[in-house]
Amino acid sequence: MLKIFESNNLLVSLLYGLLIPIFLVDDFIREENLLLKLLSAGLIFLQSLFVNYLIQKHRLYQFPNQLAGLMIVLLLLTIPEAITYTPFFVSNFFTLISIGMILDTERLGAAPQKFFNIGLIFGVGVFIYPPNIIMIFALFAGLNLLRPFSLRERLQIISALLMEVFLVGVYHFYTDTLSEFHLWNGIKHFSWIKLSGVSNVFKNIFLGLLLFFILASYWAYQRKKLMQVQRKISVFYFWGLLSFLPVVIDGPLEYHKWQLMVVPVGTLLGIRLSDIGSKMASGIFWLIFATAITFNYFEMFTFEILK
């Protein structure tokens, strides 16, 4: 099954895009929030294409394939509550673009405009979802992995972010709407982890085992790879590690916030599957696919008592 995706042809990506209608059949029938779900599905599909592009560009696989994009889409569809349009999706897209720009800096000389642009793009995502400002540490971790330490480069990123905050703040000040300043309100409403929104035992077990598998595979990502490839994979690893922070500090822990983690986690899972045997990789794929079908269409019969 997965051999279909062993290609660097982006047209192959359309095949895993066909997974999306499978999990939206019920929404097509009931026509409830269909537009928002289609929009969210389209955004995650675009992000999966961009991840595949980055992986092919930086040669993070030993053999060309589309497994990272496939896993991103499949893992999102596994959690039904996450198939909805939220600011997380859009903000995460800007974080992904910033990560992609960080990967391009490995052999880049002094280029202050490049780092300033990274800060500008990242800042747009922060305004859309303020708790994502924590992901600036993922950008800095990427710079630490790929380039010699330079305080100037980090200050250029921070200055771009602060410039956006200043300009928007000035606008709100002169229009007497400073109390509506989105970034300030977002940060002001930070609150520590609450588990009230994640009461489904089976979903918690699935997500827990998945995250444990991804995080425990750190050394496997480094095996038999060039040093520069190891570093770039580590950028995604630290992004996935840090992506949990906005989830837990921004109010109650809820399943739709899986959107914040699915891109780095799906990317790492795709990289891991490309390194193991095809039979085991296919088995993991079908296990996740069966889990997704169960959570989407059989939850009302199987798991209601556990909520």
Side-chain angles (χ1 to χ4, degrees), residues 45-82:
F45 184 63
L46 287 176
Q47 291 184 56
S48 72
L49 292 179
F50 189 69
V51 167
N52 283 336
Y53 163 75
L54 290 177
I55 287 176
Q56 301 300 334
K57 179 180 180 180
H58 297 283
R59 300 182 180 180
L60 301 187
Y61 287 145
Q62 292 180 339
F63 305 101
N65 63 67
Q66 307 281 326
L67 289 180
L70 170 65
M71 288 298 109
I72 289 171
V73 172
L74 183 58
L75 287 179
L76 177 81
L77 297 173
T78 302
I79 306 299
E81 294 87 346

Side-chain angles (χ1 to χ4, degrees), residues 92-161:
N92 223 35
F93 207 167
F94 285 100
T95 303
L96 174 59
I97 295 173
S98 302
I99 292 290
M101 296 175 71
I102 290 290
L103 295 178
D104 290 334
T105 64
E106 182 185 23
R107 297 182 179 178
L108 189 69
Q113 184 179 0
K114 179 77 170 182
F115 297 101
F116 191 81
N117 290 341
I118 291 173
L120 286 178
I121 291 174
F122 176 71
V124 174
V126 170
F127 275 102
I128 295 172
Y129 180 59
N132 234 19
I133 195 171
I134 295 174
M135 289 300 100
I136 197 170
F137 294 110
L139 302 185
F140 289 166
L143 289 177
N144 290 339
L145 289 165
L146 300 176
R147 299 175 60 83
F149 178 81
S150 171
L151 180 61
R152 176 179 296 180
E153 292 172 356
R154 285 148 183 80
L155 291 177
Q156 286 163 351
I157 294 176
I158 294 173
S159 64
L161 179 60

